[in-house]
Protein backbone atom coordinates (compact mmCIF):
# COMPACT_ATOMS: atom_id res chain seq x y z
CA UNK A 1 0.00 0.00 0.00
CA UNK A 2 1.41 3.36 -1.04
CA UNK A 3 2.07 5.86 1.71
CA UNK A 4 0.65 9.33 1.91
CA UNK A 5 1.99 11.96 -0.47
CA UNK A 6 4.67 14.04 1.22
CA UNK A 7 5.02 17.73 0.46
CA UNK A 8 8.33 19.59 0.81
CA UNK A 9 7.92 23.34 1.07
CA UNK A 10 7.73 26.23 3.50
CA UNK A 11 5.07 26.50 6.21
CA UNK A 12 3.05 28.86 4.07
CA UNK A 13 1.13 29.16 0.84
CA UNK A 14 3.37 29.95 -2.11
CA UNK A 15 3.24 27.58 -5.05
CA UNK A 16 2.48 24.58 -2.85
CA UNK A 17 -0.89 25.85 -1.70
CA UNK A 18 -2.65 24.79 -4.90
CA UNK A 19 -1.25 21.28 -4.39
CA UNK A 20 -2.69 21.22 -0.88
CA UNK A 21 -6.04 22.41 -2.24
CA UNK A 22 -6.18 19.73 -4.92
CA UNK A 23 -5.19 16.87 -2.65
CA UNK A 24 -7.72 18.03 -0.07
CA UNK A 25 -10.43 18.29 -2.74
CA UNK A 26 -9.68 14.71 -3.75
CA UNK A 27 -9.98 13.61 -0.13
CA UNK A 28 -6.33 12.55 0.02
CA UNK A 29 -4.42 12.83 3.28
CA UNK A 30 -0.88 14.13 2.97
CA UNK A 31 2.19 14.81 5.08
CA UNK A 32 4.40 17.88 5.01
CA UNK A 33 8.03 18.62 5.73
CA UNK A 34 8.56 22.33 6.20
CA UNK A 35 11.79 23.95 5.09
CA UNK A 36 13.06 26.17 7.88
CA UNK A 37 16.81 26.24 7.31
CA UNK A 38 19.21 26.57 4.40
CA UNK A 39 20.73 23.26 5.47
CA UNK A 40 17.44 21.42 4.87
CA UNK A 41 17.22 22.88 1.39
CA UNK A 42 20.82 22.05 0.56
CA UNK A 43 20.31 18.47 1.76
CA UNK A 44 17.50 18.07 -0.78
CA UNK A 45 19.71 19.56 -3.46
CA UNK A 46 22.68 17.35 -2.65
CA UNK A 47 20.47 14.28 -2.48
CA UNK A 48 19.25 14.86 -6.01
CA UNK A 49 15.62 15.28 -4.97
CA UNK A 50 15.16 18.63 -6.69
CA UNK A 51 15.54 18.06 -10.42
CA UNK A 52 15.60 21.76 -11.26
CA UNK A 53 17.00 22.88 -7.91
CA UNK A 54 13.73 24.31 -6.68
CA UNK A 55 10.66 23.55 -4.61
CA UNK A 56 7.77 22.64 -4.44
CA UNK A 57 8.61 18.96 -4.39
CA UNK A 58 6.12 16.17 -3.77
CA UNK A 59 6.88 12.52 -3.09
CA UNK A 60 4.02 10.49 -4.54
CA UNK A 61 3.71 6.98 -5.96
CA UNK A 62 7.46 6.41 -5.77
CA UNK A 63 8.27 9.63 -7.61
CA UNK A 64 9.88 12.86 -6.44
CA UNK A 65 7.95 15.36 -8.50
CA UNK A 66 8.87 18.99 -9.08
CA UNK A 67 7.32 21.66 -11.30
CA UNK A 68 3.99 22.72 -9.82
CA UNK A 69 1.95 22.29 -12.98
CA UNK A 70 3.22 18.73 -13.50
CA UNK A 71 2.41 17.87 -9.88
CA UNK A 72 -1.10 19.28 -10.18
CA UNK A 73 -1.77 17.58 -13.52
CA UNK A 74 -0.74 14.22 -12.10
CA UNK A 75 -2.93 14.59 -9.01
CA UNK A 76 -5.89 15.75 -11.09
CA UNK A 77 -5.60 12.77 -13.45
CA UNK A 78 -5.00 10.25 -10.65
CA UNK A 79 -8.09 11.31 -8.72
CA UNK A 80 -10.48 11.82 -11.65
CA UNK A 81 -10.48 15.61 -11.51
CA UNK A 82 -9.18 16.09 -15.06
CA UNK A 83 -12.23 15.58 -17.27
CA UNK A 84 -13.43 12.54 -19.17
CA UNK A 85 -11.77 13.14 -22.53
CA UNK A 86 -9.14 15.18 -24.35
CA UNK A 87 -11.50 18.09 -25.05
CA UNK A 88 -12.46 18.44 -21.40
CA UNK A 89 -8.81 18.29 -20.38
CA UNK A 90 -8.04 21.07 -22.82
CA UNK A 91 -10.78 23.23 -21.31
CA UNK A 92 -9.59 22.47 -17.79
CA UNK A 93 -6.03 23.39 -18.79
CA UNK A 94 -7.28 26.63 -20.33
CA UNK A 95 -9.31 27.67 -17.29
CA UNK A 96 -6.53 26.67 -14.86
CA UNK A 97 -4.08 28.65 -16.98
CA UNK A 98 -6.20 31.76 -16.65
CA UNK A 99 -6.56 31.27 -12.92
CA UNK A 100 -2.80 30.76 -12.65
CA UNK A 101 -2.24 34.09 -14.38
CA UNK A 102 -4.47 35.82 -11.82
CA UNK A 103 -2.77 34.06 -8.92
CA UNK A 104 0.56 35.19 -10.30
CA UNK A 105 -0.32 38.77 -9.41
CA UNK A 106 -0.85 37.64 -5.80
CA UNK A 107 1.94 35.10 -5.30
CA UNK A 108 4.77 37.57 -4.71
CA UNK A 109 2.59 40.13 -2.89
CA UNK A 110 4.01 39.30 0.58
CA UNK A 111 7.54 40.10 -0.64
CA UNK A 112 6.73 43.62 -1.83
CA UNK A 113 7.45 46.88 -0.05
CA UNK A 114 4.52 48.62 1.65
CA UNK A 115 4.33 51.13 -1.20
CA UNK A 116 4.38 48.45 -3.86
CA UNK A 117 1.78 46.40 -1.98
CA UNK A 118 -0.68 49.27 -2.26
CA UNK A 119 -0.08 49.54 -5.99
CA UNK A 120 -0.20 45.80 -6.53
CA UNK A 121 -3.47 45.46 -4.63
CA UNK A 122 -5.08 47.85 -7.10
CA UNK A 123 -3.63 45.82 -9.99
CA UNK A 124 -4.99 42.56 -8.55
CA UNK A 125 -8.50 43.96 -8.18
CA UNK A 126 -8.42 45.54 -11.62
CA UNK A 127 -7.23 42.36 -13.33
CA UNK A 128 -9.70 40.18 -11.44
CA UNK A 129 -12.75 42.32 -12.14
CA UNK A 130 -12.00 43.36 -15.72
CA UNK A 131 -10.31 40.29 -17.22
CA UNK A 132 -10.56 37.05 -15.26
CA UNK A 133 -13.82 37.06 -13.29
CA UNK A 134 -15.88 38.27 -16.31
CA UNK A 135 -14.52 35.33 -18.31
CA UNK A 136 -15.54 32.72 -15.74
CA UNK A 137 -18.85 34.49 -15.16
CA UNK A 138 -19.59 34.16 -18.89
CA UNK A 139 -18.59 30.48 -19.01
CA UNK A 140 -20.93 29.63 -16.14
CA UNK A 141 -23.77 31.74 -17.52
CA UNK A 142 -23.47 30.43 -21.08
CA UNK A 143 -23.57 26.72 -20.25
CA UNK A 144 -25.85 27.02 -17.19
CA UNK A 145 -24.13 24.17 -15.35
CA UNK A 146 -22.86 23.87 -11.81
CA UNK A 147 -19.21 23.34 -12.74
CA UNK A 148 -16.82 24.83 -15.25
CA UNK A 149 -16.29 21.73 -17.40
CA UNK A 150 -18.61 18.86 -18.30
CA UNK A 151 -20.90 19.58 -15.36
CA UNK A 152 -18.52 17.56 -13.18
CA UNK A 153 -16.31 18.71 -10.32
CA UNK A 154 -12.76 19.17 -11.61
CA UNK A 155 -9.38 20.73 -10.98
CA UNK A 156 -10.62 23.87 -12.74
CA UNK A 157 -13.29 24.40 -10.07
CA UNK A 158 -10.84 23.88 -7.21
CA UNK A 159 -8.35 26.31 -8.70
CA UNK A 160 -10.95 28.99 -9.36
CA UNK A 161 -12.33 28.83 -5.82
CA UNK A 162 -8.80 29.16 -4.43
CA UNK A 163 -8.24 32.24 -6.59
CA UNK A 164 -11.58 33.81 -5.64
CA UNK A 165 -10.81 33.50 -1.93
CA UNK A 166 -7.34 34.95 -2.45
CA UNK A 167 -8.75 38.01 -4.20
CA UNK A 168 -11.48 38.40 -1.57
CA UNK A 169 -8.71 38.72 1.01
CA UNK A 170 -7.73 41.90 -0.82
CA UNK A 171 -11.30 43.16 -1.36
CA UNK A 172 -14.10 41.34 0.44
CA UNK A 173 -16.90 42.43 -1.92
CA UNK A 174 -15.00 41.77 -5.15
CA UNK A 175 -17.72 39.36 -6.36
CA UNK A 176 -20.53 41.90 -5.92
CA UNK A 177 -20.97 42.27 -9.69
CA UNK A 178 -20.66 38.56 -10.47
CA UNK A 179 -23.78 36.60 -9.46
CA UNK A 180 -22.71 33.42 -11.24
CA UNK A 181 -19.42 33.38 -9.38
CA UNK A 182 -21.15 34.09 -6.08
CA UNK A 183 -23.32 31.00 -6.61
CA UNK A 184 -20.31 29.01 -7.81
CA UNK A 185 -18.35 29.93 -4.69
CA UNK A 186 -21.20 28.76 -2.47
CA UNK A 187 -21.58 25.46 -4.36
CA UNK A 188 -17.92 24.52 -4.43
CA UNK A 189 -17.34 25.60 -0.83
CA UNK A 190 -20.14 23.24 0.19
CA UNK A 191 -18.53 20.12 -1.32
CA UNK A 192 -17.64 17.99 1.74
CA UNK A 193 -13.90 17.70 1.06
CA UNK A 194 -13.62 21.42 0.29
CA UNK A 195 -15.75 22.37 3.27
CA UNK A 196 -13.44 20.34 5.52
CA UNK A 197 -10.36 22.05 4.06
CA UNK A 198 -11.88 25.48 4.69
CA UNK A 199 -12.49 24.72 8.36
CA UNK A 200 -10.08 25.83 11.11
CA UNK A 201 -7.38 23.29 11.88
CA UNK A 202 -6.97 22.02 8.33
CA UNK A 203 -3.67 22.05 6.41
CA UNK A 204 -4.75 25.15 4.50
CA UNK A 205 -2.25 27.92 5.14
CA UNK A 206 -3.13 31.44 6.32
CA UNK A 207 -2.27 34.69 4.57
CA UNK A 208 1.54 34.86 4.45
CA UNK A 209 3.03 36.87 7.31
CA UNK A 210 6.44 38.41 7.99
CA UNK A 211 7.76 35.16 9.49
CA UNK A 212 6.98 33.27 6.30
CA UNK A 213 8.63 35.94 4.17
CA UNK A 214 11.75 35.96 6.34
CA UNK A 215 12.02 32.16 6.24
CA UNK A 216 11.72 32.02 2.44
CA UNK A 217 14.29 34.78 2.02
CA UNK A 218 16.73 33.07 4.37
CA UNK A 219 16.40 29.55 2.94
CA UNK A 220 16.50 30.64 -0.70
CA UNK A 221 18.97 33.46 -0.05
CA UNK A 222 16.71 36.06 -1.61
CA UNK A 223 18.77 39.20 -1.10
CA UNK A 224 16.89 41.30 -3.63
CA UNK A 225 13.64 43.25 -3.44
CA UNK A 226 10.69 41.94 -5.43
CA UNK A 227 9.00 44.52 -7.64
CA UNK A 228 5.29 44.86 -8.35
CA UNK A 229 3.90 43.76 -11.70
Amino acid sequence: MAGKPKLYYFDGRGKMESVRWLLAAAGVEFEEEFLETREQYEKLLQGGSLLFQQVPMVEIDGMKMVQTRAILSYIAAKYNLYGKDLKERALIDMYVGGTDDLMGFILMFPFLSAEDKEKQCAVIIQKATSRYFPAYEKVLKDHGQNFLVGNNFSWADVHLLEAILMVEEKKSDVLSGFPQLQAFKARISGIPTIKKFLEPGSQRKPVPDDKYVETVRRVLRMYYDVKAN
Side-chain angles (χ1 to χ4, degrees), residues 29 60 64 89 96 120 135 159 167 176 178 189 204 217:
E29 294 184 357
I60 184 170
K64 293 183 177 180
R89 284 195 174 196
V96 167
Q120 187 71 351
H159 217 51
V167 179
S176 60
F178 302 98
S189 297
R204 184 186 179 208
R217 286 187 179 277

Side-chain angles (χ1 to χ4, degrees), residues 17-81:
E17 189 69 356
S18 292
V19 177
R20 298 182 185 107
W21 266 89
L22 195 56
L23 285 169
V28 178
E29 294 184 357
F30 57 89
E31 299 175 347
E32 300 189 75
E33 180 169 317
F34 298 127
L35 301 181
E36 298 175 345
T37 67
R38 178 71 186 184
E39 289 71 26
Q40 284 177 286
Y41 180 63
E42 289 180 346
K43 184 178 179 180
L44 290 175
L45 289 173
Q46 293 163 5
S49 295
L50 306 181
L51 183 62
F52 300 112
Q53 302 178 28
Q54 60 192 28
V55 289
M57 190 269 280
V58 175
E59 284 188 303
I60 184 170
D61 295 341
M63 298 183 290
K64 293 183 177 180
M65 295 195 70
V66 295
Q67 291 296 331
T68 311
R69 187 61 181 261
I71 295 166
L72 290 167
S73 296
Y74 182 80
I75 293 168
K78 180 178 173 70
Y79 296 106
N80 300 314
L81 294 170

